């Protein structure tokens, strides 16, 4: 479904969903019966927790209480204080996520294109390539991230080799850098970028591309004028599915970064678990959630894809 | 949004979507079979650039997996950091390291429950959203969309805040509850895409042929939805199995496989963890190859 | 309530049925009777409500008002799967996950009939597709899919079989072939067929009774010959074949013939062929019923004559020659002359008079729109 159809209906008359998707029945009882369990579940374990988070973000420490004891209040300054302290991490998170998303797009699009278009008509090759994109899910992503950490470790032969070639100064390193964190994010969310684009390209009618070739007779032009615009919904989906989790991630920055690559997720995590500063953690979470929603809506509007399937 | 597409791709890879996707709208004969190859012509550098680049990208994707597999054969001892020599010991004895198998089994259990529950709940919601017009539909759509656009830290923190305020001790139960929550939305979008692509006339035809609405659903609609539901279940399982952040917030002392790996990373990960990761990768690969081979054989037999 | 086991054709009655979508009527106060065992065609332009009518009969759409009776039983509030009715859908709607044979056996299985597969095979033989029983629908050509859809419906022996433009997607040759086949099956199994089409030729050749529908209403209902020879509205006169319609005023009535003043000329119309016998009327005549009279040629007996007019267009079509004759004060009339003599008899620009037997003339309500139901050339093809 689409972000826009989710949000767009609210903007008044935006319901331009295709006829197939148009609901056909009016018997409401049935609909509510089907919806009830799932919606109730999300209400209980998504809406209420988010509200709980909002409420918690305004709490104040119990005067003279122990660490981790808070009393209900409306302390808006939790937000200003949290932002004043942690804005660099917030900005860094979005910057890293942005770079990682662009990099994943640059890598993932050609992969998707090759699987969907070049391997079309060769089911076995196509299936194999797809599995290679998907199967990493089953090797824990933490295991893979740690693998990167070892591969790029200071004493690893890869780094020695790069140093030997002179691409890296003798004391230069690959792990524990911002570059490593971004590379890790790119790597970990690459399947989330590739799959939606693949799914989109796969559904393209090959005759459409032939028609393009017929009319323009030039590969790059066909790509730019036909393939790319038609695959835009997939690109939008992929970038969102990459950007959103990447901006909240902390595993990569913990495993591959250093103290100056801290991301906002890491701060939330440590405020919660290390110092039991629940209001600050909650306030930062709310800020992150709202900021992402605003970015997503702006992006989807900008991309102009009415319906992101 | 994209969960549907991603899962569609997932399904296609495993071969489940393959058959019915093409039959959903019966196309006349003639267009099927092998599409024409690229028209012969001058060989252009441009034609090779993209595949070569994609090959490099696949390499990038697979390097750490190769590393993981290789080090599953490392005669590592306690920390699996440097190569100490080849051994089959880890594979022969995957539960050799303390707690690794327990964590793995925990992950499988959580994954199984979360998959079944979220697939059922999500499929029902998807059916309602596509096939009925009702008050609050927009709101329901929004409620499905929001969890997907919320970073995991936020979901994890929110759930923990709630569990703490309800004085519920985090553990197996809270992990399962939170996994079901974030899987539902992905199931909904995946199944929804499938439901929306169904021809509404099919169910009418069933009714016309004396099927009650119950029979029409189970005889016609449901079989056609199965590929989408399987894809959704697969997606839910892989999301649950690989989740770390939300689990980390809500698990207390309960350990899943990703959490085990993360926690032991500082002390050194036992090679048995690599065995399990490699085995899962191999399993996924084998499964897909098997499905591909079977469906290819079936295709050949039918035509 | 009609049990789903009606064994042979039953009659179908629609009694003042109305269907509104969001307040807009798609079918408007429609009444009709289809006798048991007859082949009934519902003919009308796109969007006139044919599919909606069928869907109400099938039980897939609930009428806003009115009643539907099958074999005398009121089924208005009976659910689709409980009606002794089957449909061949406009888009076939074959189940993609079932084989052809299982598709055909579907209805039999739902009703727990004995030997569903054996009967399904028989039905496939009826449509000459027994060799494709194990295929899936997406492995069939359009015409084959259509025949499977037909078999799937016929095999249930419904009291009424509904066909919604089942031949629409077929090429002309296959279409003619299927028309013959449909007609054969109908006579063979004796079911009541309600066949929707917007191909008038198809309706005329196949049906015992044709109903012409327009904007949610039945304009006229009758045998094909009746509709053609004696249309009752301008819409029918124009939609079925072509007609010359001339505005006139009744100046003499009371006898067996009605006298009408048409642009100064006096024509006579049999009273039983006139929708109204006073005031403004439209005098109609089919182009092939007109004769061209050259200067001095004698007027045959019992003929209406108009003109003279000038021939503005001559086109030779093989079987006939079609003339356009412009008559002052009347407008342009079309004339089809059968090609008995070989070649056109009258040249462009010649002055001619037009004659037509009184018994071929008809008169319609003068308030009708002269152009309603005129089929654009490309559409009638
Ligand atoms: N579900 C619906 N909702 C709203 N309007 C509808 C619906 N179904 C049909 N209509 C309208 O009712 C009218 C009659 O439609 P119907 O499908 O019966 O036409 P038809 O005679 O079968 O046309 P065609 O020859 O093109 O198939 C049309 O104006 C159509 O737009
Ligand atoms: Mg229709």
């Amino acid at each position: 479904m689409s972000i826009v159809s989710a949000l767009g209906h609210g903007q008044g008359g935006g319901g331009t969903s295709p006829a197939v998707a148009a609901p056909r029945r009016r018997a409401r009882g049935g609909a509510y019966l089907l919806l009830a369990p799932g919606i109730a579940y999300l209400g209980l374990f998504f809406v209420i927790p988010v509200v709980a988070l909002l409420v918690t973000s305004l709490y104040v420490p119990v005067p003279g209480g122990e660490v981790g004891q808070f009393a209900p209040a409306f302390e808006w300054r939790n937000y200003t204080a949290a932002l004043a302290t942690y804005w660099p991490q917030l900005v860094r998170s979005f910057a890293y996520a942005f770079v990682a998303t662009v990099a994943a797009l640059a890598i993932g699009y050609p992969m998707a294109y090759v699987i969907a278009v070049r391997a079309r008509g060769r089911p076995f090759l196509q299936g194999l390539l797809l599995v290679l994109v998907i199967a990493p899910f089953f090797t824990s992503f933490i295991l893979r991230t740690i693998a990167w950490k070892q591969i790029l470790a200071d004493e690893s032969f890869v780094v020695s080799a790069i140093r030997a070639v002179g691409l890296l100064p003798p004391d230069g390193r690959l792990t524990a850098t911002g570059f490593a964190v971004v590379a890790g994010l790119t790597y970990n969310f690459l399947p989330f970028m590739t799959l939606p684009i693949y799914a989109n390209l796969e559904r393209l009618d090959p005759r459409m591309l032939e028609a393009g070739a017929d009319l323009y007779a030039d590969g790059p032009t066909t790509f730019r004028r036909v393939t790319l615009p038609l695959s835009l919904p997939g690109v939008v989906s992929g970038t969102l599915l990459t950007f959103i989790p990447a901006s909240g991630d902390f595993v990569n920055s913990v495993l591959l970064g250093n103290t100056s690559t801290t991301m906002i997720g890491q701060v939330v995590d440590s405020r919660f678990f290390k110092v039991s500063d629940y209001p600050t953690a909650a306030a930062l979470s709310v800020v992150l959630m709202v900021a992402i929603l605003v970015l997503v809506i702006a992006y989807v509007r900008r991309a102009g894809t009415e319906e992101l399937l | 949004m994209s969960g549907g597409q991603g899962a569609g791709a997932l399904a296609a890879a495993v071969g489940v979507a393959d058959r019915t996707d093409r039959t959903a709208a019966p196309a006349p004969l003639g267009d099927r079979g092998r599409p024409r190859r690229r028209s012969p012509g001058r060989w252009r550098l441009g034609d090779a650039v993209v595949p070569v680049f994609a090959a490099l990208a696949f390499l990038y994707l697979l390097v750490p997996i190769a590393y993981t597999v290789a080090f599953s054969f490392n005669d590592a001892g306690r920390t699996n950091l440097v190569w100490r020599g080849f051994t089959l010991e880890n594979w022969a004895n995957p539960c050799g390291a303390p707690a690794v198998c327990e964590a793995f089994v925990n992950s499988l259990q959580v994954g199984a429950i979360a998959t079944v529950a979220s697939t059922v709940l999500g499929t029902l919601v998807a059916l309602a959203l596509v096939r009925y017009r009702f008050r609050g539909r927009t709101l329901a759509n929004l409620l499905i969309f929001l969890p997907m656009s919320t970073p995991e830290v936020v979901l994890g923190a929110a759930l923990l805040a709630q569990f703490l305020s309800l004085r519920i001790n985090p553990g197996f139960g809270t992990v399962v509850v939170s996994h079901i929550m974030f899987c539902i939305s992905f199931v909904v979008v995946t199944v929804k895409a499938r439901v929306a692509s169904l021809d509404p006339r099919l169910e009418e035809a069933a009714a016309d042929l004396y099927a009650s609405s119950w029979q029409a659903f189970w005889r016609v609609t449901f079989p056609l939805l199965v590929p989408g539901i399987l894809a959704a279940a697969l997606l839910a399982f892989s999301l649950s199995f690989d989740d770390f952040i939300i689990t980390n917030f809500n698990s207390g002392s309960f350990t899943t496989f990703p959490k085990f790996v993360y926690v032991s990373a500082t002390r050194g990960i036992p090679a048995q963890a690599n065995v399990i990761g490699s085995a899962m990768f191999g399993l996924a690969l084998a499964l897909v190859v098997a499905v591909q081979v079977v469906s290819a054989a079936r295709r050949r037999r039918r035509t | 309530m009609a049990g789903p086991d009606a064994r042979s054709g039953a009659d179908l009655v629609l009694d003042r049925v109305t269907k509104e979508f969001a307040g807009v009527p798609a079918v408007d106060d429609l009444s009709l009777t289809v006798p048991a065992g007859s082949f009934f065609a519902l003919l009308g332009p796109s969007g006139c409500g044919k599919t909606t009518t069928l869907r109400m009969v099938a039980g897939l759409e609930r009428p806003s008002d009115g009643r539907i009776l099958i074999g005398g039983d009121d089924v208005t509030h009976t659910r689709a799967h409980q009606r002794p009715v089957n449909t061949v859908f406009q888009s076939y709607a074959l189940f993609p996950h079932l084989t052809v044979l299982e598709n055909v056996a579907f209805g039999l299985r739902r009703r727990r009939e004995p030997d569903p597969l054996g009967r399904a095979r028989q039905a496939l033989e009826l449509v000459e597709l027994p060799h494709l029983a194990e295929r899936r629908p997406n492995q069939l050509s359009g015409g084959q899919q259509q025949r499977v859809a037909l078999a799937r419906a016929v095999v249930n022996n419904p009291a009424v079989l509904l066909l919604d433009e089942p031949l629409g997607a077929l090429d002309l040759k296959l279409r003619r072939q299927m028309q013959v086949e449909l007609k054969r099956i109908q006579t063979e199994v004796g079911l009541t067929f309600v066949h929707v089409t917007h191909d008038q030729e198809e309706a005329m050749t196949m049906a015992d009774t044709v109903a012409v529908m327009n904007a949610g209403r039945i304009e006229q209902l009758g045998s094909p010959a009746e509709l053609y020879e004696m249309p009752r509205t301008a819409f029918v006169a124009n939609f079925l074949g072509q007609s010359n319609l001339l505005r006139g005023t009744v100046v003499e009535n009371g006898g067996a013939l009605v006298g009408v003043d048409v642009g100064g000329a006096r024509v006579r119309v049999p009273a039983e062929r006139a929708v109204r016998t006073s005031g403004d009327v439209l005098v109609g005549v089919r182009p092939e019923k007109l004769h061209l009279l050259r200067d001095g040629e004698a007027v045959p007996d019992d003929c209406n004559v108009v003109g003279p007019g000038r021939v503005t267009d001559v086109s030779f079509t093989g079987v006939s020659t079609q003339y356009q004759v412009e008559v002052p004060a009347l407008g342009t009339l079309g004339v089809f002359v059968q090609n008995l003599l070989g070649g056109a008899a009258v040249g462009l620009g010649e002055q001619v008079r037009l004659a037509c037997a009184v018994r071929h003339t008809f008169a319609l309500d003068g308030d009708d729109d002269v152009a309603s139901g005129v089929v654009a050339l490309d559409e009638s093809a």
Side-chain angles (χ1 to χ4, degrees), chain C residues 21 26 45-52 90 165 198:
Chain C
F21 291 110
S46 185
C48 72
K50 305 181 296 287
T51 297
T52 307
Q90 200 161 2
E165 294 190 42
H198 48 212

mmCIF file with all atom_site columns, all heavy atoms in Angstrom, chain C residues 21 26 45-52 90 165 198, ligand 1:
data_model
loop_
_atom_site.group_PDB
_atom_site.id
_atom_site.type_symbol
_atom_site.label_atom_id
_atom_site.label_alt_id
_atom_site.label_comp_id
_atom_site.label_asym_id
_atom_site.label_entity_id
_atom_site.label_seq_id
_atom_site.pdbx_PDB_ins_code
_atom_site.Cartn_x
_atom_site.Cartn_y
_atom_site.Cartn_z
_atom_site.occupancy
_atom_site.B_iso_or_equiv
_atom_site.pdbx_formal_charge
_atom_site.auth_seq_id
_atom_site.auth_comp_id
_atom_site.auth_asym_id
_atom_site.auth_atom_id
_atom_site.pdbx_PDB_model_num
ATOM   1   N N   . PHE C 1 21  ? -27.248 3.668   -8.407  1.00 0.00 ? 21  PHE C N   1
ATOM   2   C CA  . PHE C 1 21  ? -25.921 3.758   -7.816  1.00 0.00 ? 21  PHE C CA  1
ATOM   3   C C   . PHE C 1 21  ? -25.754 5.178   -7.326  1.00 0.00 ? 21  PHE C C   1
ATOM   4   O O   . PHE C 1 21  ? -25.751 6.100   -8.135  1.00 0.00 ? 21  PHE C O   1
ATOM   5   C CB  . PHE C 1 21  ? -24.830 3.425   -8.825  1.00 0.00 ? 21  PHE C CB  1
ATOM   6   C CG  . PHE C 1 21  ? -24.807 1.971   -9.223  1.00 0.00 ? 21  PHE C CG  1
ATOM   7   C CD1 . PHE C 1 21  ? -25.188 1.582   -10.500 1.00 0.00 ? 21  PHE C CD1 1
ATOM   8   C CD2 . PHE C 1 21  ? -24.418 1.001   -8.317  1.00 0.00 ? 21  PHE C CD2 1
ATOM   9   C CE1 . PHE C 1 21  ? -25.170 0.247   -10.861 1.00 0.00 ? 21  PHE C CE1 1
ATOM   10  C CE2 . PHE C 1 21  ? -24.397 -0.325  -8.671  1.00 0.00 ? 21  PHE C CE2 1
ATOM   11  C CZ  . PHE C 1 21  ? -24.772 -0.703  -9.935  1.00 0.00 ? 21  PHE C CZ  1
ATOM   12  N N   . ALA C 1 26  ? -29.282 3.271   -12.774 1.00 0.00 ? 26  ALA C N   1
ATOM   13  C CA  . ALA C 1 26  ? -28.629 2.563   -13.873 1.00 0.00 ? 26  ALA C CA  1
ATOM   14  C C   . ALA C 1 26  ? -29.661 1.727   -14.602 1.00 0.00 ? 26  ALA C C   1
ATOM   15  O O   . ALA C 1 26  ? -29.583 1.523   -15.803 1.00 0.00 ? 26  ALA C O   1
ATOM   16  C CB  . ALA C 1 26  ? -27.502 1.685   -13.341 1.00 0.00 ? 26  ALA C CB  1
ATOM   17  N N   . PRO C 1 45  ? -26.910 0.272   -26.156 1.00 0.00 ? 45  PRO C N   1
ATOM   18  C CA  . PRO C 1 45  ? -25.586 0.891   -26.221 1.00 0.00 ? 45  PRO C CA  1
ATOM   19  C C   . PRO C 1 45  ? -24.829 0.715   -24.906 1.00 0.00 ? 45  PRO C C   1
ATOM   20  O O   . PRO C 1 45  ? -25.415 0.346   -23.894 1.00 0.00 ? 45  PRO C O   1
ATOM   21  C CB  . PRO C 1 45  ? -25.893 2.360   -26.488 1.00 0.00 ? 45  PRO C CB  1
ATOM   22  C CG  . PRO C 1 45  ? -27.265 2.565   -25.968 1.00 0.00 ? 45  PRO C CG  1
ATOM   23  C CD  . PRO C 1 45  ? -27.982 1.270   -26.129 1.00 0.00 ? 45  PRO C CD  1
ATOM   24  N N   . SER C 1 46  ? -23.564 0.990   -24.955 1.00 0.00 ? 46  SER C N   1
ATOM   25  C CA  . SER C 1 46  ? -22.716 0.844   -23.775 1.00 0.00 ? 46  SER C CA  1
ATOM   26  C C   . SER C 1 46  ? -23.223 1.713   -22.629 1.00 0.00 ? 46  SER C C   1
ATOM   27  O O   . SER C 1 46  ? -23.614 2.858   -22.838 1.00 0.00 ? 46  SER C O   1
ATOM   28  C CB  . SER C 1 46  ? -21.291 1.239   -24.135 1.00 0.00 ? 46  SER C CB  1
ATOM   29  O OG  . SER C 1 46  ? -20.437 0.999   -23.057 1.00 0.00 ? 46  SER C OG  1
ATOM   30  N N   . GLY C 1 47  ? -23.261 1.147   -21.446 1.00 0.00 ? 47  GLY C N   1
ATOM   31  C CA  . GLY C 1 47  ? -23.650 1.915   -20.267 1.00 0.00 ? 47  GLY C CA  1
ATOM   32  C C   . GLY C 1 47  ? -25.144 2.040   -20.070 1.00 0.00 ? 47  GLY C C   1
ATOM   33  O O   . GLY C 1 47  ? -25.595 2.767   -19.191 1.00 0.00 ? 47  GLY C O   1
ATOM   34  N N   . CYS C 1 48  ? -25.951 1.308   -20.853 1.00 0.00 ? 48  CYS C N   1
ATOM   35  C CA  . CYS C 1 48  ? -27.399 1.481   -20.739 1.00 0.00 ? 48  CYS C CA  1
ATOM   36  C C   . CYS C 1 48  ? -27.981 0.658   -19.605 1.00 0.00 ? 48  CYS C C   1
ATOM   37  O O   . CYS C 1 48  ? -29.165 0.749   -19.310 1.00 0.00 ? 48  CYS C O   1
ATOM   38  C CB  . CYS C 1 48  ? -28.080 1.137   -22.056 1.00 0.00 ? 48  CYS C CB  1
ATOM   39  S SG  . CYS C 1 48  ? -28.076 -0.622  -22.418 1.00 0.00 ? 48  CYS C SG  1
ATOM   40  N N   . GLY C 1 49  ? -27.152 -0.203  -18.973 1.00 0.00 ? 49  GLY C N   1
ATOM   41  C CA  . GLY C 1 49  ? -27.659 -0.933  -17.818 1.00 0.00 ? 49  GLY C CA  1
ATOM   42  C C   . GLY C 1 49  ? -27.848 -2.422  -18.062 1.00 0.00 ? 49  GLY C C   1
ATOM   43  O O   . GLY C 1 49  ? -28.469 -3.104  -17.251 1.00 0.00 ? 49  GLY C O   1
ATOM   44  N N   . LYS C 1 50  ? -27.278 -2.939  -19.133 1.00 0.00 ? 50  LYS C N   1
ATOM   45  C CA  . LYS C 1 50  ? -27.468 -4.360  -19.439 1.00 0.00 ? 50  LYS C CA  1
ATOM   46  C C   . LYS C 1 50  ? -26.803 -5.232  -18.388 1.00 0.00 ? 50  LYS C C   1
ATOM   47  O O   . LYS C 1 50  ? -27.431 -6.145  -17.835 1.00 0.00 ? 50  LYS C O   1
ATOM   48  C CB  . LYS C 1 50  ? -26.858 -4.682  -20.821 1.00 0.00 ? 50  LYS C CB  1
ATOM   49  C CG  . LYS C 1 50  ? -27.383 -3.813  -21.952 1.00 0.00 ? 50  LYS C CG  1
ATOM   50  C CD  . LYS C 1 50  ? -26.748 -4.196  -23.278 1.00 0.00 ? 50  LYS C CD  1
ATOM   51  C CE  . LYS C 1 50  ? -25.249 -3.966  -23.347 1.00 0.00 ? 50  LYS C CE  1
ATOM   52  N NZ  . LYS C 1 50  ? -24.855 -2.564  -23.439 1.00 0.00 ? 50  LYS C NZ  1
ATOM   53  N N   . THR C 1 51  ? -25.536 -4.949  -18.118 1.00 0.00 ? 51  THR C N   1
ATOM   54  C CA  . THR C 1 51  ? -24.825 -5.766  -17.134 1.00 0.00 ? 51  THR C CA  1
ATOM   55  C C   . THR C 1 51  ? -25.496 -5.664  -15.772 1.00 0.00 ? 51  THR C C   1
ATOM   56  O O   . THR C 1 51  ? -25.677 -6.668  -15.075 1.00 0.00 ? 51  THR C O   1
ATOM   57  C CB  . THR C 1 51  ? -23.357 -5.316  -17.051 1.00 0.00 ? 51  THR C CB  1
ATOM   58  O OG1 . THR C 1 51  ? -22.749 -5.550  -18.312 1.00 0.00 ? 51  THR C OG1 1
ATOM   59  C CG2 . THR C 1 51  ? -22.608 -6.075  -15.982 1.00 0.00 ? 51  THR C CG2 1
ATOM   60  N N   . THR C 1 52  ? -25.903 -4.472  -15.418 1.00 0.00 ? 52  THR C N   1
ATOM   61  C CA  . THR C 1 52  ? -26.560 -4.282  -14.130 1.00 0.00 ? 52  THR C CA  1
ATOM   62  C C   . THR C 1 52  ? -27.823 -5.129  -14.051 1.00 0.00 ? 52  THR C C   1
ATOM   63  O O   . THR C 1 52  ? -28.102 -5.763  -13.025 1.00 0.00 ? 52  THR C O   1
ATOM   64  C CB  . THR C 1 52  ? -26.893 -2.796  -13.944 1.00 0.00 ? 52  THR C CB  1
ATOM   65  O OG1 . THR C 1 52  ? -25.701 -2.035  -14.150 1.00 0.00 ? 52  THR C OG1 1
ATOM   66  C CG2 . THR C 1 52  ? -27.421 -2.524  -12.555 1.00 0.00 ? 52  THR C CG2 1
ATOM   67  N N   . GLN C 1 90  ? -18.748 -11.330 -18.563 1.00 0.00 ? 90  GLN C N   1
ATOM   68  C CA  . GLN C 1 90  ? -18.172 -10.533 -19.638 1.00 0.00 ? 90  GLN C CA  1
ATOM   69  C C   . GLN C 1 90  ? -16.664 -10.812 -19.748 1.00 0.00 ? 90  GLN C C   1
ATOM   70  O O   . GLN C 1 90  ? -16.107 -10.833 -20.822 1.00 0.00 ? 90  GLN C O   1
ATOM   71  C CB  . GLN C 1 90  ? -18.435 -9.050  -19.345 1.00 0.00 ? 90  GLN C CB  1
ATOM   72  C CG  . GLN C 1 90  ? -18.329 -8.153  -20.545 1.00 0.00 ? 90  GLN C CG  1
ATOM   73  C CD  . GLN C 1 90  ? -19.033 -6.801  -20.329 1.00 0.00 ? 90  GLN C CD  1
ATOM   74  O OE1 . GLN C 1 90  ? -19.565 -6.524  -19.259 1.00 0.00 ? 90  GLN C OE1 1
ATOM   75  N NE2 . GLN C 1 90  ? -19.025 -5.976  -21.340 1.00 0.00 ? 90  GLN C NE2 1
ATOM   76  N N   . GLU C 1 165 ? -22.318 -10.427 -22.899 1.00 0.00 ? 165 GLU C N   1
ATOM   77  C CA  . GLU C 1 165 ? -21.409 -10.185 -24.020 1.00 0.00 ? 165 GLU C CA  1
ATOM   78  C C   . GLU C 1 165 ? -20.302 -11.217 -24.076 1.00 0.00 ? 165 GLU C C   1
ATOM   79  O O   . GLU C 1 165 ? -19.119 -10.869 -24.097 1.00 0.00 ? 165 GLU C O   1
ATOM   80  C CB  . GLU C 1 165 ? -20.795 -8.782  -23.903 1.00 0.00 ? 165 GLU C CB  1
ATOM   81  C CG  . GLU C 1 165 ? -21.840 -7.710  -24.054 1.00 0.00 ? 165 GLU C CG  1
ATOM   82  C CD  . GLU C 1 165 ? -21.216 -6.336  -24.183 1.00 0.00 ? 165 GLU C CD  1
ATOM   83  O OE1 . GLU C 1 165 ? -20.207 -6.224  -24.904 1.00 0.00 ? 165 GLU C OE1 1
ATOM   84  O OE2 . GLU C 1 165 ? -21.745 -5.403  -23.584 1.00 0.00 ? 165 GLU C OE2 1
ATOM   85  N N   . HIS C 1 198 ? -24.117 -5.705  -27.453 1.00 0.00 ? 198 HIS C N   1
ATOM   86  C CA  . HIS C 1 198 ? -24.484 -4.480  -28.133 1.00 0.00 ? 198 HIS C CA  1
ATOM   87  C C   . HIS C 1 198 ? -24.274 -4.607  -29.630 1.00 0.00 ? 198 HIS C C   1
ATOM   88  O O   . HIS C 1 198 ? -24.221 -3.636  -30.349 1.00 0.00 ? 198 HIS C O   1
ATOM   89  C CB  . HIS C 1 198 ? -23.851 -3.204  -27.540 1.00 0.00 ? 198 HIS C CB  1
ATOM   90  C CG  . HIS C 1 198 ? -22.392 -3.263  -27.285 1.00 0.00 ? 198 HIS C CG  1
ATOM   91  N ND1 . HIS C 1 198 ? -21.819 -2.571  -26.262 1.00 0.00 ? 198 HIS C ND1 1
ATOM   92  C CD2 . HIS C 1 198 ? -21.416 -3.901  -27.896 1.00 0.00 ? 198 HIS C CD2 1
ATOM   93  C CE1 . HIS C 1 198 ? -20.536 -2.805  -26.262 1.00 0.00 ? 198 HIS C CE1 1
ATOM   94  N NE2 . HIS C 1 198 ? -20.260 -3.602  -27.238 1.00 0.00 ? 198 HIS C NE2 1
HETATM 95  N N1  . LIG D 2 .   ? -20.930 -0.411  -9.149  1.00 0.00 ? 1   LIG D N1  1
HETATM 96  C C1  . LIG D 2 .   ? -21.331 0.689   -9.792  1.00 0.00 ? 1   LIG D C1  1
HETATM 97  N N2  . LIG D 2 .   ? -21.268 1.893   -9.187  1.00 0.00 ? 1   LIG D N2  1
HETATM 98  C C2  . LIG D 2 .   ? -21.686 3.002   -9.809  1.00 0.00 ? 1   LIG D C2  1
HETATM 99  N N3  . LIG D 2 .   ? -22.182 3.036   -11.053 1.00 0.00 ? 1   LIG D N3  1
HETATM 100 C C3  . LIG D 2 .   ? -22.264 1.857   -11.713 1.00 0.00 ? 1   LIG D C3  1
HETATM 101 C C4  . LIG D 2 .   ? -21.847 0.639   -11.120 1.00 0.00 ? 1   LIG D C4  1
HETATM 102 N N4  . LIG D 2 .   ? -22.055 -0.358  -12.013 1.00 0.00 ? 1   LIG D N4  1
HETATM 103 C C5  . LIG D 2 .   ? -22.562 0.224   -13.116 1.00 0.00 ? 1   LIG D C5  1
HETATM 104 N N5  . LIG D 2 .   ? -22.708 1.554   -12.941 1.00 0.00 ? 1   LIG D N5  1
HETATM 105 C C6  . LIG D 2 .   ? -23.262 2.507   -13.898 1.00 0.00 ? 1   LIG D C6  1
HETATM 106 O O1  . LIG D 2 .   ? -24.509 2.038   -14.323 1.00 0.00 ? 1   LIG D O1  1
HETATM 107 C C7  . LIG D 2 .   ? -24.671 2.223   -15.711 1.00 0.00 ? 1   LIG D C7  1
HETATM 108 C C8  . LIG D 2 .   ? -24.991 0.915   -16.379 1.00 0.00 ? 1   LIG D C8  1
HETATM 109 O O2  . LIG D 2 .   ? -23.852 0.087   -16.319 1.00 0.00 ? 1   LIG D O2  1
HETATM 110 P P1  . LIG D 2 .   ? -23.827 -1.352  -16.952 1.00 0.00 ? 1   LIG D P1  1
HETATM 111 O O3  . LIG D 2 .   ? -22.556 -1.985  -16.559 1.00 0.00 ? 1   LIG D O3  1
HETATM 112 O O4  . LIG D 2 .   ? -25.064 -2.065  -16.608 1.00 0.00 ? 1   LIG D O4  1
HETATM 113 O O5  . LIG D 2 .   ? -23.794 -1.015  -18.507 1.00 0.00 ? 1   LIG D O5  1
HETATM 114 P P2  . LIG D 2 .   ? -23.794 -2.006  -19.757 1.00 0.00 ? 1   LIG D P2  1
HETATM 115 O O6  . LIG D 2 .   ? -25.069 -1.765  -20.460 1.00 0.00 ? 1   LIG D O6  1
HETATM 116 O O7  . LIG D 2 .   ? -23.487 -3.380  -19.337 1.00 0.00 ? 1   LIG D O7  1
HETATM 117 O O8  . LIG D 2 .   ? -22.611 -1.415  -20.636 1.00 0.00 ? 1   LIG D O8  1
HETATM 118 P P3  . LIG D 2 .   ? -21.518 -2.173  -21.543 1.00 0.00 ? 1   LIG D P3  1
HETATM 119 O O9  . LIG D 2 .   ? -22.182 -2.502  -22.821 1.00 0.00 ? 1   LIG D O9  1
HETATM 120 O O10 . LIG D 2 .   ? -20.476 -1.136  -21.736 1.00 0.00 ? 1   LIG D O10 1
HETATM 121 O O11 . LIG D 2 .   ? -21.032 -3.347  -20.783 1.00 0.00 ? 1   LIG D O11 1
HETATM 122 C C9  . LIG D 2 .   ? -23.413 2.882   -16.204 1.00 0.00 ? 1   LIG D C9  1
HETATM 123 O O12 . LIG D 2 .   ? -23.637 4.249   -16.333 1.00 0.00 ? 1   LIG D O12 1
HETATM 124 C C10 . LIG D 2 .   ? -22.400 2.600   -15.128 1.00 0.00 ? 1   LIG D C10 1
HETATM 125 O O13 . LIG D 2 .   ? -21.483 3.644   -15.052 1.00 0.00 ? 1   LIG D O13 1
#
